[in-house]
Amino acid sequence: EVEDLTSQKLTIKVFDDEGLQEPQLIGTTQLELNALVPERLDDMWLPLYKESKKGNLSSSKRGEVFLCFYKGW
């Protein structure tokens, strides 16, 4: 649920799941919700970062993920 567009972020975690073992976290990224334009389809590349056990994102990139968003609120 979105409560405050000015401060909330969408956290996206990308996993490698080969089905034989526990899924491995490839990387994590965050997107500021206020960066999305209302009533428009946006697509973008977002960098993936290594996540610490405390949930903090490191500064070293682990790749990228391409996403499409539609902000309907």
Side-chain angles (χ1 to χ4, degrees):
E1 181 175 323
V2 177
E3 296 172 4
D4 182 11
L5 283 175
T6 61
S7 65
Q8 284 187 290
K9 298 176 184 178
L10 174 65
T11 299
I12 301 159
K13 297 182 179 208
V14 178
F15 290 85
D16 178 13
D17 185 3
E18 297 178 1
L20 302 174
Q21 301 173 352
E22 186 78 21
Q24 300 294 312
L25 179 63
I26 296 172
T28 303
T29 192
Q30 291 185 327
L31 175 67
E32 303 267 346
L33 291 179
N34 62 1
L36 299 174
V37 178
E39 305 295 324
R40 187 177 90 191
L41 182 66
D42 283 316
D43 57 25
M44 61 190 76
W45 285 96
L46 296 171
L48 294 172
Y49 298 100
K50 184 176 181 179
E51 184 176 336
S52 72
K53 292 180 182 177
K54 294 182 180 181
N56 299 322
L57 300 183
S58 74
S59 60
S60 60
K61 263 176 85 170
R62 308 232 19 213
E64 294 180 314
V65 62
F66 183 76
L67 299 169
C68 293
F69 295 94
Y70 180 76
K71 180 178 172 184
W73 62 87

